[in-house]
Amino acid sequence: MSTQTYHTHGKVYLVGAGPGDPDLITVKGAGVLKKADVIVYDRLANPELLAMTSDRSEHLYVGKRPDKPSVSQSQINRILVAKAREGKVVARLKGGDPFVFGRGGEECEALKAANISFEVVPGISSALAAPAFAGIPVTHRKVARSFTVVTGHTVRNADTFANWEHLVNADTLVILMGVKSLPKIAETLTRLGRPSDTPVSVIQQATYPSQQTVLGTLETIAEEAESLSPPATIVIGELAAKSSELAWFNSKTGESVQQETISNSRPRAQFAG
């Protein structure tokens, strides 16, 4: 049994903010925000969640912006440690789930090394929420018995598509942080043997009023989704085509209506977008 001793006066909670819609934060996550002394939050955490915090709480923005100067991960680690050592309860608010491509593991390692007590509050990952809000089940007894989640961006960009051979036969492939690499993703999977007519859906700004879904195939999706920008989630596999059949989310009302899905092989239909 571990005999690790922690400082008793401060604690860090790594809280998953969910995919965007503030209503999708967990009850426990909302409770942590209400009691925290310091909120250290990311770019993809909906700012509306800050309304749940105490009036006395300190808010520190540490979001990373693509290709722009941002707070480094080592700086974020130092902030978490320093605030906890001041005796503060710190909520590290991260988009999606802290342990799904959220660097939560790195932050926990830094906290443990500094003898800081911490707790992880899981959140709803966009790997699940984005397909769901586009009407795409990631598994289906008759179609897909499993799904695989990967990143389209790595620390060393040259390694992003290393060892993708094992992904060719994935029933449903969900790719986060990959919209900028979509042409390369489609080319790589096709070259490795995935049929070029495999359905692909790209969901931009999932769960937000600006949500849009683009449907195509590995052959056409790079062109079809050219206008989309991050954050976006890519779904590849037979179930991706369900976005033209099961879409339920009206971003403006939340009622069951069709959303705008763009497809090169189908006439444009009215979906919630």
Side-chain angles (χ1 to χ4, degrees), residues 74-85:
S74 60
Q75 289 175 304
I76 294 173
N77 294 346
R78 288 195 292 271
I79 289 171
L80 298 178
V81 170
K83 292 298 180 180
R85 283 179 172 167

Side-chain angles (χ1 to χ4, degrees), residues 129-136 203 211 213 242-244 246-249 259:
F133 269 65
I136 302 171
I203 307 105
Q211 176 177 316
T213 302
K242 291 290 186 180
S243 63
S244 66
L246 302 180
W248 59 270
F249 175 59
Q259 75 171 4

